[in-house]
Amino acid sequence: EVQLVESGGGLIQPGGSLRLSCAASGFTVSSNYMSWVRQAPGKGLEWVSVIYTDGRTYYADSVKGRFTISRDNSKNTLYLQMNSLRAEDTAVYYCARDRVDTTMVWYFDLWGRGTLVTVSS
Amino acid sequence: SSELTQDPAVSVALGQTVRITCQGDSLRNYYASWYQQKPGQAPVLVIYGENNRPSGIPDRFSGSSSGSTASLSITGAQAEDEADYYCNSRDSSGNQFVFGTGTKVTVL
């Protein structure tokens, strides 16, 4: 079955660090563009980061310099290392598979169920 | 960074048609994709590209675009279509992405 399963969320104090994992099955993470998207409680979706097949990474301005996206090809797993966490980082974090048909057509066709990160003292 | 603006909420009578719009400068260069999200669930892709539906998405969902506006239409809305809908596209830099503000669709 093709699926994504996130883990690693939890309660963390402001300034702390957390690493989220996204285990993929049914397809190869390294052969796909992969993203993280988050949703604060009661709020809309916010794109966080993407990793390209060639390893290039890009981030939303709100997390640049604090978050790092990576992957482990041997484990077929995507990661999000989150440092210097703030209360405003509290959200459900989803990993998603990107599809790129052309430079004009880019979309997220497969999503995990998400993992909740709560930043609070 | 770019922004995508959607109406906060719309309502539609059962079996009627509703159109949700998404406005933003990035849509002049990139197609929007559309996602349906029901409470407590992950988003689901419903439309991408010019007007493409993933497998399993009913044909009552359709998309269109003109200039800086993309639209999602539900023709013959059903009770199960009640959800939040988000548009998304690459932003003007090409290496970031932006989601719309979201539209809550209520089926009366």
Side-chain angles (χ1 to χ4, degrees):
Chain A
E1 182 184 4
V2 177
Q3 65 176 357
L4 296 166
V5 179
E6 302 94 336
S7 61
L11 175 64
I12 187 77
Q13 291 189 339
S17 298
L18 208 58
R19 188 180 79 160
L20 306 183
S21 300
C22 171
S25 55
F27 73 98
T28 302
V29 165
S30 61
S31 299
N32 288 269
Y33 295 74
M34 299 291 297
S35 285
W36 286 97
V37 175
R38 69 183 180 182
Q39 186 170 36
K43 302 298 185 182
L45 300 172
E46 179 187 16
W47 175 80
V48 172
S49 180
V50 63
I51 184 166
Y52 288 8
T53 52
D54 64 5
R56 284 179 291 164
T57 59
Y58 298 95
Y59 301 91
D61 293 344
S62 58
V63 306
K64 200 174 298 181
R66 300 188 299 123
F67 289 12
T68 302
I69 190 172
S70 64
R71 64 189 179 215
D72 184 328
N73 297 344
S74 67
K75 296 182 178 179
N76 206 31
T77 298
L78 179 73
Y79 299 102
L80 185 68
Q81 177 67 43
M82 304 185 296
N83 299 330
S84 303
L85 282 161
R86 307 166 180 168
E88 54 264 36
D89 295 318
T90 294
V92 173
Y93 285 74
Y94 298 101
C95 63
R97 182 176 69 182
D98 300 38
R99 288 301 204 190
V100 184
D101 289 355
T102 70
T103 56
M104 291 182 63
V105 181
W106 193 307
Y107 51 98
F108 309 109
D109 76 326
L110 180 68
W111 296 68
R113 291 190 170 186
T115 186
L116 176 63
V117 173
T118 303
V119 184
S120 175
S121 55
Chain B
S1 60
S2 305
E3 293 183 348
L4 295 177
T5 303
Q6 300 178 236
D7 289 332
V10 297
S11 60
V12 56
L14 186 67
Q16 296 303 301
T17 298
V18 63
R19 189 171 74 169
I20 305 163
T21 60
C22 171
Q23 292 188 306
D25 287 341
S26 62
L27 299 178
R28 295 185 182 278
N29 299 309
Y30 303 108
Y31 281 106
S33 53
W34 290 91
Y35 303 86
Q36 176 193 71
Q37 188 181 34
K38 297 180 180 180
Q41 297 183 18
V44 173
L45 175 70
V46 294
I47 290 289
Y48 65 95
E50 191 168 356
N51 181 18
N52 300 295
R53 284 176 290 105
S55 174
I57 300 301
D59 61 5
R60 61 179 179 270
F61 289 91
S62 63
S64 63
S65 66
S66 177
S68 63
T69 301
S71 300
L72 172 71
S73 295
I74 309 174
T75 304
Q78 301 299 302
E80 61 264 32
D81 300 333
E82 189 162 287
D84 293 327
Y85 291 84
Y86 296 91
C87 59
N88 174 270
S89 82
R90 298 176 79 168
D91 83 346
S92 301
S93 75
N95 291 318
Q96 293 181 319
F97 298 83
V98 58
F99 281 94
T101 49
T103 298
K104 182 176 181 59
V105 172
T106 300
V107 180
L108 303 173

